Amino acid sequence: MELVILKDSEQVAAAGAEHLQDLLLNKPNAVLGLATGRTPKSMYRQLANLCKESSLSFRDVTTFNLDEYLGVQPNDAQSYRSTMRRELFDDIDIDPANTYLPECAADQNPLDVGPDYEAAILEKGGIDCQVLGIGQNGHIGFNEPSSSLNSRTRIKTLTRETIENNRQYFEDAESQPQLAITMGIATIMDARQILLLATGAAKAEAVRQSIEGAVSASCPASILQMHERVVVLLDEPAASKLARLDYYLWVQNQKRRLLAKIASD
Ligand code: PGA
C-alpha cells in the first residue's frame, strides 16, 4: 500500500488526476472503475479540463461505476448515471456506450443485475484501475460493514448512517432509496490497481482503521491491505489519526528523493 499524504483536498484531486492521466497515456483503452460522491468530484473536474486542453482522451476508455441506487432510473437527477454525466461524462470525449453502471431497468429482475455486471467487467478484460472513496463507516462502494469480504456485485441495504450522509441529495426522505446495487468487495479486489481518495477530518477514523486496523468485514476498506497495488491519497485532516504518520511521511520523502536521483542520473 502506497500512502501519499498531501496538504489539502485540491492536492489530492490533482494527484489523482495525474495518476489516471499517466495510466491512460500508457494504456489509452484502459478500463477504469469509477466512484461517485463528494470526494472524487474535483479530480473529475481536473480530468475534464485535461480532456478539454487535449492533453488526455477517453475515446477508447471503458468505465464501470461502483454502484447505483435501486429503483432510481438512469434519467432521474439523483441517479449515479446522471451524477456521472454532470461531473465527468458530458465533459469528456468518452463514448456513452462504454460507460457502465449496475443499473436495473424497470422491466429487469434486480437479481440478474449483479451477475450480468460481473460478466460485462470480465468481457472487457477486467478493471485496470478502480477509483474508491471511503465512507465514514469504512464502506467501499456500498459494501457496508459486515459485507462479505468475498462478495460480488449484488443488492445491498444501506445503513442508516449512509442514508443520513446522502440525505442532502434528495428532496424528501420518502424519495430517498434505501437499496443499491454495488460491486462486491471481491469485484473491487480483482482490479489490477486501486486508487483510494480520502479527504477531511470526518474520514480520519475510517482511514486509520482501514490502514492500521485488523482486516475485518466490520471495516470493508481494511481488505485493501491484502491488495498488491493500492495507492491511497490523503489530505492532512484525513491522515491525522494515523499512528505511524511520521513513518509514512518519511517513506514518501525517500521515494521522492529516489525518483529525483533516478531522473538526474
Ligand atoms: P463521499 O462518499 O465521497 O461523498 O464522502 C464516499 C463513500 O461513501 O464511499
Side-chain angles (χ1 to χ4, degrees):
M1 192 177 269
E2 180 184 350
L3 299 186
V4 182
I5 296 152
L6 299 158
K7 185 137 205 64
D8 54 33
S9 58
E10 274 313 296
Q11 288 191 8
V12 167
E18 195 182 324
H19 186 94
L20 294 178
Q21 183 183 27
D22 285 351
L23 181 109
L24 294 186
L25 290 176
N26 276 318
K27 188 173 182 186
N29 63 346
V31 177
L32 299 181
L34 298 180
T36 47
R38 282 157 283 234
T39 314
K41 256 177 111 160
S42 173
M43 177 179 78
Y44 291 154
R45 198 66 356 251
Q46 300 207 21
L47 289 172
N49 287 339
L50 288 170
C51 196
K52 211 179 292 166
E53 293 162 6
S54 309
S55 324
L56 184 61
S57 173
F58 290 81
R59 209 176 311 115
D60 300 319
V61 169
T62 300
T63 63
F64 285 93
N65 262 79
L66 282 170
D67 40 27
E68 179 58 283
Y69 289 119
L70 186 59
V72 172
Q73 292 310 307
N75 288 335
D76 291 350
Q78 290 92 350
S79 72
Y80 281 171
R81 160 79 63 192
S82 297
T83 305
M84 287 306 300
R85 287 191 56 183
R86 281 194 301 272
E87 289 173 5
L88 185 67
F89 296 157
D90 286 353
D91 296 323
I92 58 175
D93 58 348
I94 198 163
D95 179 349
N98 292 336
T99 62
Y100 294 83
L101 287 93
E103 295 162 317
C104 184
D107 59 351
Q108 197 178 1
N109 179 344
L111 296 177
D112 290 341
V113 175
D116 289 354
Y117 206 60
E118 294 284 330
I121 294 171
L122 282 182
E123 201 202 321
K124 297 289 179 185
I127 292 172
D128 290 300
C129 181
Q130 176 67 55
V131 174
L132 293 178
I134 182 171
Q136 288 181 39
N137 61 6
H139 74 200
I140 44 177
F142 275 133
N143 294 287
E144 301 285 30
S146 83
S147 289
S148 162
L149 297 179
N150 246 335
S151 50
R152 291 280 161 192
T153 307
R154 71 215 181 287
I155 300 169
K156 279 297 290 184
T157 303
L158 308 183
T159 58
R160 289 191 195 290
E161 195 181 1
T162 298
I163 291 171
E164 195 46 48
N165 282 338
N166 292 340
R167 175 79 188 84
Q168 58 179 287
Y169 299 115
F170 295 86
E171 269 173 22
D172 52 73
E174 281 76 59
S175 65
Q176 185 173 3
Q178 301 182 350
L179 299 177
I181 301 180
T182 181
M183 267 188 208
I185 295 179
T187 323
I188 292 170
M189 289 293 282
D190 280 348
R192 285 185 269 281
Q193 56 166 288
I194 289 179
L195 181 66
L196 184 137
L197 279 60
T199 56
K203 300 292 174 69
E205 183 55 28
V207 164
R208 187 190 68 76
Q209 280 194 34
S210 315
I211 295 170
E212 297 182 334
V215 173
S216 160
S218 295
C219 178
S222 64
I223 191 68
L224 300 177
Q225 294 174 33
M226 308 286 288
H227 195 285
E228 212 181 346
R229 289 189 68 198
V230 183
V231 175
V232 181
L233 302 178
L234 302 173
D235 67 359
E236 285 177 359
S240 61
K241 291 196 175 169
L242 290 168
R244 295 184 200 92
L245 182 58
D246 283 351
Y247 173 65
Y248 308 138
L249 289 168
W250 189 58
V251 171
Q252 196 175 321
N253 212 15
Q254 296 286 16
K255 183 181 172 188
R256 219 177 270 144
R257 284 167 54 182
L258 184 64
L259 291 179
K261 184 172 180 317
I262 292 168
S264 72
D265 280 350

